[in-house]
Amino acid sequence: MGSNQLYKGSLATIILKLLGEQGRMYGYQITQEVKAISEGEFVITEGALYPMLHKLEAQGLLSVETEMAGNRMRKYYSITPNGKKEVVNRMAELEDFIRHMQSLLNPKIDLA
Amino acid sequence: MGSNQLYKGSLATIILKLLGEQGRMYGYQITQEVKAISEGEFVITEGALYPMLHKLEAQGLLSVETEMAGNRMRKYYSITPNGKKEVVNRMAELEDFIRHMQSLLNPKIDLA
DNA sequence: TCCATTGCATAAGAATATTATGTATGTTTG
DNA sequence: CAAACATACATAATATTCTTATGCAATGGA
């Protein structure tokens, strides 16, 4: 991801959540969508993206359909039932993470 | 850190911010403090902690003083002027990260 | 025609973590 | 009093996840 070390570990969560909401997407589309939503801050490199998509597929969290758009190959990924369960866990972890980081790092600003 | 992948990449930020606020601390103390503040969620392993402390010292962001508490050695770490500057950057990055993660992953709940 | 973009993929290397050890002292508990 | 647990440092082997570099191939614009 960008110049920010903090992004490490969040790629799978981002992909799963996005596919859980947007329906099926292909790899390149994911990079563009994430970049747009994050105002150019989350730049997913191919070297990170494709191995992660393959891994999530191997874990049964995503499924794939290969299609041709003209002469161009696209591999559309969709979230599986197991993937949907995983998203719930991941989101809970994200909320915990954010909450704990804020209490650790912003002791003065306390969220109710 | 714990079972949560998201913690990856945040260790240096946690250490720097904590030392920036609490003054000097020794390694073991940092692990206990972080664990307490995060309600048991942030468990820093020794294999991650000590190499990171050495690295931050090598980068000139922390300084060390070795002292004896009875017969036990303690290495107290303090933040340097350069470390203080780095904390400012890290906190800005953390805020960006949290903001973008929220807009990406919680599109319905929009923070003002 | 050349360069940027779209679209996939992998390999080499760096960074950061876990797990497993090792050394040593102090404290608590059966 | 012995065993277990806590304190306190450290490193090595391994795993994970990332960046950077490279490769192939089609498309589209200057």
Side-chain angles (χ1 to χ4, degrees), chain A residues 25-45:
Chain A
M25 299 177 76
Y26 55 98
Y28 185 79
Q29 185 184 9
I30 293 173
T31 67
Q32 299 309 300
E33 190 81 2
V34 169
K35 195 173 173 181
I37 296 177
S38 66
E39 299 162 334
E41 276 289 307
F42 287 50
V43 177
I44 304 176
T45 59

Side-chain angles (χ1 to χ4, degrees), chain A residues 30 39 67 81 92-93 104-106:
Chain A
I30 293 173
E39 299 162 334
E67 289 182 18
E93 283 177 2
L104 251 175
L105 303 180
N106 274 326

Side-chain angles (χ1 to χ4, degrees), chain B residues 64-109:
Chain B
V64 201
E65 292 167 288
T66 302
E67 289 183 19
M68 298 304 286
N71 279 333
R72 275 231 193 75
M73 177 179 59
R74 282 180 183 168
K75 292 180 73 175
Y76 282 91
Y77 289 86
S78 305
I79 197 159
T80 64
N82 277 339
K84 292 223 172 195
K85 291 182 199 164
E86 186 63 19
V87 171
V88 176
N89 296 334
R90 294 268 184 171
M91 294 311 293
E93 284 177 2
L94 177 63
E95 281 172 32
D96 280 354
F97 172 73
I98 289 177
R99 186 161 46 85
H100 288 132
M101 282 301 272
Q102 277 171 332
S103 69
L104 251 176
L105 304 179
N106 273 327
K108 292 157 196 165
I109 301 171

Side-chain angles (χ1 to χ4, degrees), chain B residues 28-45:
Chain B
Y28 184 79
Q29 184 184 9
I30 292 173
T31 67
Q32 300 307 300
E33 190 81 1
V34 169
K35 193 173 174 183
I37 296 176
S38 67
E39 300 163 332
E41 276 290 307
F42 286 50
V43 177
I44 304 176
T45 60

Side-chain angles (χ1 to χ4, degrees), chain A residues 9-18 52 55-56 59 90:
Chain A
S10 60
L11 181 57
T13 300
I14 291 170
I15 292 172
L16 288 170
K17 177 69 176 176
L18 203 59
M52 182 59 75
K55 186 188 172 189
L56 294 174
Q59 290 174 338
R90 295 269 185 169

Side-chain angles (χ1 to χ4, degrees), chain B residues 8 24 52 72:
Chain B
K8 293 200 175 192
R24 58 180 228 153
M52 182 58 75
R72 275 231 193 75

